[in-house]
């Protein structure tokens, strides 16, 4: 049930492996660290990585009169999480479903989760522009969703797929909050120098071409990668790193716009 959710933000990517789920979880953690009540919905049915990233794999979900009860990351209950990963016996189980069954599960997640009151709901979507995305759009028609953050990497192939994602958003009427370029360079853990392994600047160029905001450029930082599975917020553990600064900037931008 989304009637108690104030703001809904989708996190999209044109292809897999660009760090979309990491950005989704760290954005949710950053918002919760900023004293917002946050929900994180993982609808990447074939690759549900949110429970692992937040260190919640051993948790189960239950049902109440209002629907599914999300998993909370702490006693304060300021970050609630729902994922099909909680319904699988172990991390290696595969979800081998045809489109209609996947569509039904996504509708259930969007309509039958007892979120309670939330300031923000972050929806981590599967890569591409498939049935899952269309289902989300149909279910959100009655809700004033804030828009989408699109994640890309600097390689030309990833940028090509993100161009399709931008087209998808415009055709389905989704506002694009902005584009994040991830994995742009590698930060040496010893000297902190950033080396461009692939390339850089593609996200900026695409944002200019699509006439949408560029929200920031994130390097590959081993210190940030080491937080996977801990459920710890990058902005709290590594406040001076580039990733933390970009995440804080995004939170300040979206919260200022809606204040």
């Amino acid at each position: 049930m989304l009637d108690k959710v104030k703001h809904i933000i989708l996190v999209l990517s044109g292809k897999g492996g660009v760090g979309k789920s990491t950005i989704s979880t760290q954005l949710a953690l950053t918002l919760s660290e900023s004293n917002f009540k946050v929900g994180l919905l993982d609808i990447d049915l074939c690759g549900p990585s949110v429970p692992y990233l937040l260190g919640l794999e051993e948790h189960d979900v239950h049902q109440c009169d209002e629907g599914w009860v999300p998993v909370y990351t702490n006693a304060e209950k300021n970050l609630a999480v729902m994922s099909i990963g909680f319904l699988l016996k172990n991390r290696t189980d595969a979800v081998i479903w045809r489109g209609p069954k996947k569509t039904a599960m996504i509708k259930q997640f969007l309509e039958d989760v007892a979120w309670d009151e939330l300031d923000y709901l972050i929806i981590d979507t599967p890569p591409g522009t498939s049935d899952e995305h269309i289902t989300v759009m149909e279910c959100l028609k009655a809700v004033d969703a804030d828009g989408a953050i699109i994640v890309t990497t600097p390689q030309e192939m990833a940028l090509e797929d993100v161009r399709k994602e931008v087209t998808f958003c415009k055709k389905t009427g989704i506002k694009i909050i902005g584009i994040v370029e991830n994995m742009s360079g590698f930060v040496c853990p010893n000297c902190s120098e950033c080396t461009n392994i692939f390339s850089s600047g593609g996200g900026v160029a695409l944002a200019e071409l699509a006439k949408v905001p560029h929200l920031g450029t994130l390097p590959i930082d081993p210190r940030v990668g080491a937080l996977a599975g801990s459920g710890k917020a990058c902005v709290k553990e590594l406040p001076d790193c580039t990733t933390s600064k970009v995440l804080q900037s995004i939170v300040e931008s979206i919260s200022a716009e809606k204040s």
Side-chain angles (χ1 to χ4, degrees):
M1 295 174 289
L2 302 176
D3 54 330
K4 296 181 181 179
V5 179
K6 295 178 182 176
H7 305 295
I8 299 173
I9 296 174
L10 306 173
V11 181
L12 309 176
S13 68
K15 63 188 286 98
V18 300
K20 170 183 52 60
S21 294
T22 297
I23 290 176
S24 296
T25 54
Q26 285 298 330
L27 178 60
L29 286 165
T30 303
L31 283 163
S32 66
E33 288 290 332
S34 300
N35 297 318
F36 291 109
K37 292 200 71 174
V38 186
L40 177 56
L41 175 59
D42 178 9
I43 60 168
D44 190 348
L45 300 184
C46 295
S49 53
V50 165
Y52 163 70
L53 290 170
L54 290 174
L56 300 174
E57 286 187 300
E58 301 302 319
H59 289 69
D60 296 317
V61 291
H62 306 281
Q63 286 190 310
C64 63
D65 293 339
E66 292 77 25
W68 293 103
V69 180
V71 173
Y72 292 93
T73 60
N74 54 37
E76 290 75 25
K77 295 188 175 183
N78 56 2
L79 178 53
V81 184
M82 176 56 71
S83 169
I84 195 173
F86 295 131
L87 307 179
L88 303 177
K89 292 182 179 178
N90 58 66
R91 193 195 304 176
T92 60
D93 286 351
V95 178
I96 307 173
W97 293 349
R98 293 188 182 275
K101 191 170 183 180
K102 292 164 74 176
T103 296
M105 176 57 75
I106 291 171
K107 284 184 177 179
Q108 186 173 8
F109 276 167
L110 287 169
E111 298 172 357
D112 297 333
V113 176
W115 290 113
D116 203 5
E117 293 187 4
L118 294 179
D119 294 308
Y120 289 93
L121 175 64
I122 308 299
I123 302 180
D124 181 25
T125 66
T129 54
S130 59
D131 286 353
E132 290 94 325
H133 298 80
I134 297 170
T135 299
V136 173
M137 295 310 105
E138 290 176 347
C139 292
L140 294 180
K141 278 183 179 178
V143 181
D144 186 20
D146 294 57
I149 293 173
I150 300 178
V151 182
T152 187
T153 51
Q155 301 98 315
E156 185 59 34
M157 184 63 70
L159 291 168
E160 283 295 328
D161 288 336
V162 169
R163 290 187 183 98
K164 297 171 188 173
E165 200 78 38
V166 170
T167 301
F168 172 82
C169 288
K170 291 184 176 180
K171 285 188 174 181
T172 53
I174 308 169
K175 176 187 173 183
I176 300 175
I177 296 171
I179 293 174
V180 174
E181 181 179 316
N182 195 25
M183 304 183 190
S184 181
F186 170 77
V187 176
C188 175
N190 297 317
C191 67
S192 298
E193 181 179 344
C194 186
T195 303
N196 289 325
I197 304 172
F198 307 118
S199 61
S200 65
V204 176
L206 182 57
E208 291 176 353
L209 182 66
K211 295 181 173 55
V212 299
H214 174 248
L215 299 177
T217 298
L218 304 177
I220 299 171
D221 190 332
R223 298 173 301 166
V224 177
L227 295 177
S230 69
K232 295 179 180 178
C234 181
V235 292
K236 184 176 181 180
E237 301 298 319
L238 305 166
D240 296 325
C241 77
T242 299
T243 300
S244 293
K245 292 175 182 177
V246 170
L247 287 167
Q248 198 64 56
S249 174
I250 293 173
V251 166
E252 290 172 0
S253 175
I254 59 179
S255 58
E257 185 176 331
K258 298 300 174 182
S259 61

